[in-house]
Amino acid sequence: MTDTTVTTTKKDWSSDQEVRWCPGCGDYSILTAMQLLMPEIGTSRENTVFISGIGCAARFPYYMNTYGIHSIHGRSPAIATGLALTRPDLDVWVVGGDGDMLSIGGNHLIHALRRNVNLTILLFNNQIYGLTKGQYSPTSEVGKVTKSTPRGSIDTPFNPISLALGAEATFVARTHDMDRGHMQEMFRRAHDHKGSAIVEVYQNCNVFNDGAFAAITKKDARTEMLINLTHGEPVRFGADGARGVVLDNGVARIVDVADVGVDALVIHDEAAPDPSVAFALSRLAGDRHSPTPVGVFRAVEHEDYGVSLNAQLAAAQADAGPGDLHALLHSLPTWEVS
Amino acid sequence: MTSTEERSTDIREVDRIVVRFAGDSGDGMQLTGDRFASASALFGNDLATLPEFPAEIRAPAGTLAGVSAFQIQISDHDIHTQGDAPTVLVTMNPAAMKSDLPKLEPGGTVIVNTDAFEDRNLAKAGYDANPIEDGTLDGYTVITAPMTELTKEVCKDIGVKPRDAERSKNFFALGLVSWLYSRPTEPTMQWIREKFAGKDLVIAANEAAFKAGHAFGETAELSASRLTVRPAHLPAGTYTNINGNTALSWGLVAASQKAGIPIFLGSYPITPASDILHELAKHKNFGVRTLQAEDEIAAVGSALGASYGGHLGITTTSGPGVALKGETLGLAVSLELPLVIVDIQRGGPSTGLPTKTEAADLMMARYGRHGEAPLPIVSANSPSDCFDAAFEAVRIALRYRTPVILLSDGYLANGTEPWRLPDVDSLPDIPVEFASGPNALNEDGEDVFWPYVRNDDLARPWAIPGTAGLTHRIGGIEKEDGTGNISYNPENHGRMVALRDERIKLVAESYPATEIEGDADGDVLLLGWGSTWGAITGATGRLQRAGHRVAHVHLRNLYPFPNDLGEILQRFEKVIVPEMNLGQLSAMVRAEYLIDAQVISKVTGQPFTTGELVTRIEEMLR
Ligand code: SF4
């Protein structure tokens, strides 16, 4: 059934459906990154499934020439869980926006993460509701004026990376829609991870929340505003690495390296069993105007749920033999009537 | 009968007795009843049981709210219910007497644990005076025993502490009742040894209490009250005593085996359905995967995901859970994938009566989704029938690639009856076919795969991921007929709505002819569904013996209705629909067939008794 040796191109991974996002939407560059990455990953189209909920991001499966389900609002992690547990031979991707995954589907997301189901979850965070035409979302900043918050939002937003780490996620990363190479690296690593992997993608909604991330993601801002996390390296950024991150009573703080010395900087350890430092780093994205970490926050090995579940099935078969229907029906006390 | 009759060694033979064990939740009444049922089953009686217990895990001891009861009818002939009024009531405390004495038949026998009838317990039950002494029990045969003290006494000799010994008093009651009704004792002794293996003191205490109860009967001159019920003449075969949830679980496993695809169960714990999750979780060697999901929505979602991947997706719940799953069921209707949703109905609305029975989810099953979202509905008639109903639900889901709702209820879930085990080889295979290649030509004349091309059953192909050449995208947005591409075209939507309606109606073509019990050319038809089967069957027989020309049809398939149902209904002057709701099936048949179907409803958390049905039907026939 499977053929993993085929060589494919971007065209093979693009469906015949006309893409219907608004012109200029950040989703286009994410789609292109994915369609270009797929041939490199070297898996087959028939063994790849994209599952989404509802929202602009959730149209994604229609544009990938793979198997796909465009399901209902918020439920994609649950549906994908059933598929991943029964079909460990498949690559199951979950795609959704901040409303889909963090609001109506928040419960499914955190449980998929803590169970470590073998899913690759892409969270397109544009900090707004696009498809319903511009209401604030669970990641919108306090004070955001939208149609449903004419006097400004009074909701405290989620920090998706902090949330994922708190939900025991074993792979957590952040990237943004302006850097194809970085997106592809994050997507590839998330794909290769065993268990649940989540990548937050800062995505520009140019219609309802244009420029939400411009202060940190536009080309000339990145050096000073993006903190690239590199495993085993000190956490530093800025021109000539002049700035860095230290831990101050467990709280991440940005410093001038000249003031503290290189040795004082946090050495990024994505494989640290304890997520506390990763959590501290995740708190650095407090607003969209200060230096923000991107890259892999956490990547730890932990048995994936499907493997554990299927091991229990194998053990049960080893103990009790394959299911015997006749024996099952006779397993309670029986008597004969003649 | 009075307690002063002369001692006699004769045991009177009767055709049936109804025993009700009632006590505090902590008194072990469910276990006691269950053991009595098992011993009777092994003895060869036909039987039916009704466990009744409070929703609270530990309701306040000694109160009316804490009363737990187990009713069982044993018979020498084929019976279908737990019996109407008990012949014998075992009361372990005053609260049990207060709540259950009114249920006892006139002149029936009350067995009382006198030790529990002290001031504090009497007050908790709301008695001003002791009912054993104040004439409350006049007219009944009364058997009193200081069960707690006698149990403590026999346990003292074997070194069991009085507090621990007290817990064995239900075995004293069981021993006494077993003697009174000549039940075999060895199965219970053996069960005690197996159940408490490793806890020698507990085994010794329970055995001693059981024997003491048995001996109490022999020595206390109770012979006049002794009755026995001969084994029933049931059809030859191997029998087991089964409850509905176990039978339903096994039916699902059997269907999965006959279809050759493994079960994936997504479920969230809920009374009274959780036992199906527990049962299926045990059968991993059948390839059964169970996921205790984070909520009801994830439970059905994960099951749908598994179905998409080619497994048999199942979710089990009760009414509140079905309400939560509604949107996903709509998606399943739209995706046209197999899925089985098991609803063990309970009293509603809202939390309602979690441990009591009701059958008021039929309208929800039929209409409880937005848009036109039809799906087949199957329902079970008796505890053992849950096996066949589950098998039927899976058959329909797989053949027609549709979600199917299977309705059972709390009464069937926990009630038991003897079940003649089917020969597994006689169960039909359920053919399953996955799509393997292109099924259409595109505009350029190339072979392509379209997900919404239909077969003769109007089912679309089940094209599972991993199959080369069949990659496709499906979703909840309206699809173009054939290609499955997104379509907002008005005519296409009209066509798709009609196709989804028509294809579910086609399911009725696969049903056997509807069976009519009783006078097929009579005047009155009793139309039923679900767990009312036993009571309606009993009522049909009694009404016939009373000279009425009555027939009974019990529906396995509630949607679509059998194709011959309309013609059958037209044949009768009067159609009466007894149901445990305010008239849901009767409204559906009125709408469908324009007949004046009359409802007899009961919504008290209790099943119908045969007697009350007969009375109410006779009133309507007057
Ligand atoms: S509304 Fe925003 S997110 Fe949605 S497609 Fe348009 S630009 Fe993209």
Side-chain angles (χ1 to χ4, degrees), chain B residues 538-588:
Chain B
T540 306
R542 275 201 226 170
L543 288 163
Q544 280 185 300
R545 288 194 288 279
H548 298 286
R549 302 179 63 239
V550 183
H552 173 201
V553 164
H554 216 76
L555 295 176
R556 154 81 74 226
N557 301 91
L558 293 165
Y559 193 78
F561 286 138
N563 289 332
D564 56 3
L565 182 61
E567 181 270 319
I568 291 172
L569 295 175
Q570 302 297 345
R571 271 195 239 160
F572 292 84
E573 269 168 42
K574 206 170 188 76
V575 174
I576 298 175
V577 187
E579 47 186 333
M580 295 193 294
N581 57 56
L582 293 180
Q584 300 192 4
L585 177 62
S586 52
M588 281 166 59

Side-chain angles (χ1 to χ4, degrees), chain B residues 22-24 27 61-63 67 91-98 113 116-117 121:
Chain B
D24 193 63
D27 287 341
T63 63
V67 173
T91 56
M92 298 302 282
N93 72 356
M97 183 175 288
K98 183 96 180 184
N113 175 19
F117 284 68
N121 282 340

Side-chain angles (χ1 to χ4, degrees), chain A residues 20-22 24-27 56 126 130-131 203-208:
Chain A
R20 296 226 183 139
W21 288 309
C22 307
C25 174
D27 289 347
C56 295
N126 56 18
L131 196 65
Q203 175 245 324
N204 192 40
C205 169
N206 57 309
V207 173
F208 294 108

Side-chain angles (χ1 to χ4, degrees), chain A residues 225-255:
Chain A
M225 297 301 255
L226 291 183
I227 308 170
N228 267 298
L229 299 175
T230 310
H231 181 59
E233 300 283 326
V235 180
R236 40 192 317 190
F237 63 104
D240 304 323
R243 310 188 76 197
V245 177
V246 295
L247 278 185
D248 198 349
N249 274 329
V251 177
R253 201 160 54 77
I254 290 167
V255 293

